[in-house]
Amino acid sequence: MLEFTTQEFDEVMTLIGDREPIYTPEKNILSYKFSQIPQNLDRGTAGEHFLCKKLQSQYGLPAERIGGPGQPDIKITDPIDGVVTRLECKTSLLNVTGKYKFMRINPENFDVLCFCYIHPTKFIIVQTISKADFLAWTEIGGCKGKPAKKNSDGEYTISMTDEYKNDKGLDGIIWDEEGWTR
């Protein structure tokens, strides 16, 4: 069994400790507070609530947060014809490699996929991708033009750059590149 001392730990931490933090209160207090949510699941749920509230308050849509396994995260029911649009909301922090990673994407659960990028200075940037565009990407995108791979649960993991692009061609509509705080 490998054993390490506190001194060895401190030495390693000194070596990596000079990296500037991605999220700080000085850059954006909301982004920083969001980055302090300790669990991925809780960050995802928070992203769903923020997106749902924005759809209601700013866009006047009858959005309802649903969530849960096999359920859409948000549904919008058209008050005139009753047509339901299912949204899947995926939320990610920027990592040290300059990428956002969105996990557990199941196209069976949505009509519209929403990526909520927690930007270090702009708080939330939202990008939407239709189910048809996402499914087309899974067939022709992926690694080197090969179909994207699902995990054992039939879900996809997607990395996007700090410019909200995927190096395999997945692209969507950015709502407002200035983010939700200015």
Side-chain angles (χ1 to χ4, degrees):
M1 180 165 96
L2 290 175
E3 292 185 21
F4 295 96
T5 66
T6 302
Q7 180 181 352
E8 290 170 317
F9 181 85
D10 291 343
E11 289 171 4
V12 169
M13 295 311 293
T14 301
L15 294 172
I16 65 170
D18 291 336
R19 185 179 310 167
E20 181 180 333
I22 296 171
Y23 296 91
T24 66
E26 295 77 25
K27 290 179 183 176
N28 184 299
I29 190 64
L30 295 176
S31 297
Y32 174 74
K33 284 183 173 187
F34 198 99
S35 75
Q36 298 303 296
I37 299 172
Q39 302 294 322
N40 285 340
L41 182 61
D42 292 339
R43 285 194 296 267
T45 300
E48 294 166 14
H49 282 287
F50 277 115
L51 180 60
C52 189
K53 289 182 181 301
K54 185 62 80 168
L55 290 168
Q56 294 166 345
S57 66
Q58 187 166 343
Y59 299 103
L61 294 171
E64 177 185 1
R65 184 193 169 274
I66 306 295
Q71 298 288 322
D73 293 325
I74 298 169
K75 74 174 186 176
I76 301 170
T77 305
D78 187 304
I80 297 171
D81 60 14
V83 172
V84 173
T85 302
R86 302 168 306 142
L87 279 67
E88 180 73 8
C89 176
K90 293 299 179 183
T91 305
S92 181
L93 297 170
L94 186 65
N95 65 33
V96 296
T97 64
K99 300 221 180 204
Y100 294 91
K101 188 173 184 179
F102 299 97
M103 300 173 12
R104 303 192 68 195
I105 300 169
N106 185 342
E108 297 300 317
N109 294 339
F110 67 84
D111 302 307
V112 177
L113 176 60
C114 300
F115 286 151
C116 290
Y117 299 89
I118 306 304
H119 190 277
T121 63
K122 300 174 184 179
F123 191 37
I124 297 177
I125 302 283
V126 177
Q127 179 180 41
T128 53
I129 300 166
S130 72
K131 181 176 185 169
D133 287 345
F134 182 81
L135 289 174
W137 174 83
T138 65
E139 293 301 317
I140 62 172
C143 185
K144 300 177 183 169
K146 295 178 184 174
K149 292 183 181 178
K150 299 178 187 179
N151 69 16
S152 60
D153 293 327
E155 300 168 332
Y156 297 90
T157 296
I158 297 174
S159 291
M160 302 293 271
T161 69
D162 59 354
E163 295 176 347
Y164 325 117
K165 298 191 184 308
N166 173 271
D167 61 356
K168 309 295 189 276
L170 183 63
D171 200 9
I173 298 169
I174 301 291
W175 291 13
D176 181 355
E177 289 197 46
E178 296 303 312
W180 290 0
T181 58
R182 298 181 192 173

